[in-house]
Amino acid sequence: MFCIEPAKTNDIPLVEKLLDEAFGLDRFEKTAYRLRDGVEQIWDLAFVVRGEEGLLATLQFWPIVVGEGPDRQEALLLGPIAVCDSCRGKGAGRALMVKGLDKAREMGYQRVILVGDEDYYKKVGFSRSLAEGLEMPGPVDKNRLLAHALVPGGMDGVQGMICKSTDIVK
């Protein structure tokens, strides 16, 4: 059992430290980070796990858009998600994702996209097949581009380039 709490702005230094430890400083060079740069995370979907040792895990979501013109669709980008070494393999990451995905569904979001290992993320509903029509700017292993429909049909007809929400002129 994990104590999942909403993240607070004063958690940012601890979250960044955990992300540095989990992914290294070169994490900012990854394509997914380009979609987050200059965009505010969705604070209502930011969660942490705390324990006696401090911050143990973190999860964030970011707004993105798929496609262009009248066919574009809003979506969420899940990540980064990180779990401290002492908690890995104990279900903290899955618990965070279930909490975040449930909250996103409650807030009316229909779809979530991420870059990750399908074997891990399929446990909470992500699949490569739902992301077949998606493209990401920059280098990305298409086998790691995954999607999840939060509502029935949430990924139907969703295709095209994934852009950060500020790249689209409304």
Side-chain angles (χ1 to χ4, degrees), residues 3-79:
C3 180
I4 299 174
E5 303 174 0
K8 301 173 186 146
T9 55
N10 63 346
D11 288 325
I12 292 173
L14 298 172
V15 166
E16 289 300 315
K17 183 178 183 232
L18 180 58
L19 293 172
D20 288 346
E21 291 169 359
F23 300 110
L25 295 177
D26 65 341
R27 65 187 166 99
F28 296 104
E29 297 172 19
K30 295 182 180 184
T31 299
Y33 271 86
R34 290 188 205 129
L35 296 171
R36 298 176 188 125
D37 188 37
V39 178
E40 183 78 15
Q41 71 173 307
I42 301 171
W43 280 98
D44 288 341
L45 294 174
F47 297 99
V48 296
V49 173
R50 295 183 207 282
E52 292 177 13
E53 313 86 56
L55 192 77
L56 305 176
T58 180
L59 171 67
Q60 300 169 340
F61 288 86
W62 304 79
I64 56 172
V65 179
V66 180
E68 296 181 31
D71 294 329
R72 74 174 184 252
Q73 300 287 326
E74 293 181 359
L76 294 172
L77 180 66
L78 185 151

Side-chain angles (χ1 to χ4, degrees), residues 112-114 116-118 121 126-128 131 143-147:
V112 182
I113 297 165
L114 64 78
D117 179 25
E118 186 175 21
Y121 290 101
F126 284 88
S127 75
R128 173 68 196 122
N143 292 319
R144 295 177 54 79
L145 187 56
L146 311 175

